[in-house]
């Protein structure tokens, strides 16, 4: 199957309210252009340097999503162009994104990462930390960021019941926080689900899925 065929097949199965992020990390620009020419405009990368090189080389109507863990000192390299930062897990990181967005006179959209998996290796806020962040006075003063939703990654396991339980947990946290009304915080996006579990994630209420290998083939 070609990248184009893979992409069109996945898109044909997605509900209209679900956004597809094509995870293109480690893939060459030629592969991304094949997806672009098939209509894909949202690409997800996990290394800022690689994403920046692709941004410079590719058409400017692409939305670039940073889906990896973000180090504060690297934010400046994507401040000019990044559309959505997925894995935001601290006020410190939000403050840095705000600072870099301000330099470019932009508002950068962010998703707060919630820790739902049983593995300790995964990043993210727990429910109490999320509540603390959303009610903090510091957050209200960040005018160059906008929190548009939550994201989370399920445990890497074959156990579908466990994955489902984790997705449902994230959906219930999302539902509870949708009532938060701060100018720079309107939660409409729930990003969960990847190549192996996106159908289950959509059943559990996901509105954004991150799919890589099912489009581009196995990672290099």
């Amino acid at each position: 199957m070609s990248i184009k065929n893979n992409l069109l097949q996945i898109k044909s199965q997605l509900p209209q309210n679900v956004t597809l992020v094509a995870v293109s990390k480690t893939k060459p620009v030629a592969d991304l252009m094949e997806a672009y020419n098939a209509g894909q405009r949202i690409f997800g990368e996990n290394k800022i340097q690689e994403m920046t090189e692709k941004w410079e080389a590719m058409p400017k109507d692409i939305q670039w999503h940073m889906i990896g863990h973000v180090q504060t000192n690297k934010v400046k390299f994507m401040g000019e162009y990044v559309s959505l930062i997925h894995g935001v897990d601290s006020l410190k990181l939000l403050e840095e994104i705000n600072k870099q967005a301000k330099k470019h006179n932009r508002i950068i959209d962010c998703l707060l990462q919630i820790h739902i998996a049983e593995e300790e290796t995964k990043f993210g806020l727990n429910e109490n930390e999320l509540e603390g962040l959303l009610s903090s006075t510091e957050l209200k003063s960040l005018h160059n960021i906008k929190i548009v939703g939550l994201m989370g990654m399920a445990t890497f396991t074959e156990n579908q019941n466990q994955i489902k339980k984790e997705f449902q947990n994230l959906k219930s946290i999302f539902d509870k926080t949708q009532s938060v009304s701060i100018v720079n915080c309107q939660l409409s996006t729930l990003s969960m689900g990847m190549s192996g579990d996106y159908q289950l994630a959509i059943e559990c209420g996901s509105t954004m899925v991150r799919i890589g290998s099912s489009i581009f083939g196995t990672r290099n």
Side-chain angles (χ1 to χ4, degrees):
M1 285 279 273
S2 69
I3 290 170
K4 178 182 178 178
N5 290 345
N6 291 342
L7 184 68
L8 294 177
Q9 190 184 351
I10 289 167
K11 278 192 164 175
S12 71
Q13 297 165 352
L14 292 181
Q16 278 204 297
N17 69 322
V18 176
T19 301
L20 171 63
V21 181
V23 177
S24 48
K25 57 188 182 184
T26 76
K27 296 296 175 182
V29 166
D31 286 10
L32 277 72
M33 282 308 300
E34 194 181 325
Y36 177 89
N37 290 330
Q40 183 62 20
R41 292 293 181 272
I42 303 175
F43 292 91
E45 294 280 333
N46 70 337
K47 291 195 165 61
I48 294 173
Q49 190 179 347
E50 185 183 339
M51 182 168 72
T52 302
E53 286 166 7
K54 288 172 177 175
W55 167 68
E56 286 168 352
M58 290 181 66
K60 292 298 174 266
D61 61 339
I62 291 172
Q63 291 182 33
W64 294 99
H65 288 200
M66 177 62 194
I67 60 168
H69 185 66
V70 180
Q71 292 169 292
T72 315
N73 61 346
K74 298 271 176 74
V75 176
K76 57 180 177 284
F77 299 114
M78 61 178 173
E80 185 181 344
Y81 69 89
V82 70
S83 286
L84 181 63
I85 300 175
H86 281 234
V88 179
D89 59 0
S90 70
L91 182 64
K92 185 179 158 214
L93 181 54
L94 279 172
E95 288 171 339
E96 182 61 26
I97 295 166
N98 187 73
K99 180 177 140 189
Q100 298 304 332
K102 198 171 182 177
K103 280 184 190 171
H104 297 284
N105 199 22
R106 300 183 65 218
I107 292 173
I108 294 177
D109 289 348
C110 301
L111 297 176
L112 296 177
Q113 182 166 359
I114 310 302
H115 188 282
I116 54 169
E118 294 196 354
E119 295 137 314
E120 284 307 308
T121 52
K122 297 267 196 311
F123 295 97
L125 304 158
N126 64 34
E127 222 176 323
N128 290 341
E129 290 166 335
L130 173 66
E131 282 173 24
L133 177 59
L134 291 175
S135 59
S136 68
T137 46
E138 292 92 338
L139 179 62
K140 295 180 180 69
S141 67
L142 304 179
H143 302 300
N144 290 80
I145 57 116
K146 188 175 178 193
I147 296 170
V148 296
L150 305 179
M151 67 82 66
M153 293 163 79
T155 302
F156 190 68
T157 172
E158 296 292 309
N159 183 341
Q160 293 297 302
N161 288 334
Q162 186 180 345
I163 294 170
K164 187 174 183 179
K165 192 178 76 187
E166 290 168 359
F167 284 157
Q168 286 172 333
N169 178 29
L170 182 54
K171 175 70 165 80
S172 79
I173 295 170
F174 177 71
D175 290 342
K176 278 184 231 167
T177 46
Q178 273 194 298
S179 56
V180 172
S181 64
I182 314 168
V183 174
N184 59 357
C185 184
Q186 275 129 19
L187 284 83
S188 57
T189 299
L190 180 56
S191 172
M192 57 185 191
M194 301 188 288
S195 283
D197 56 21
Y198 72 91
Q199 277 135 333
L200 182 57
I202 290 167
E203 280 172 36
C204 295
S206 174
T207 67
M208 181 177 280
V209 292
R210 308 180 297 278
I211 300 179
S213 52
S214 298
I215 297 172
F216 296 105
T218 43
R219 212 154 287 129
N220 306 336

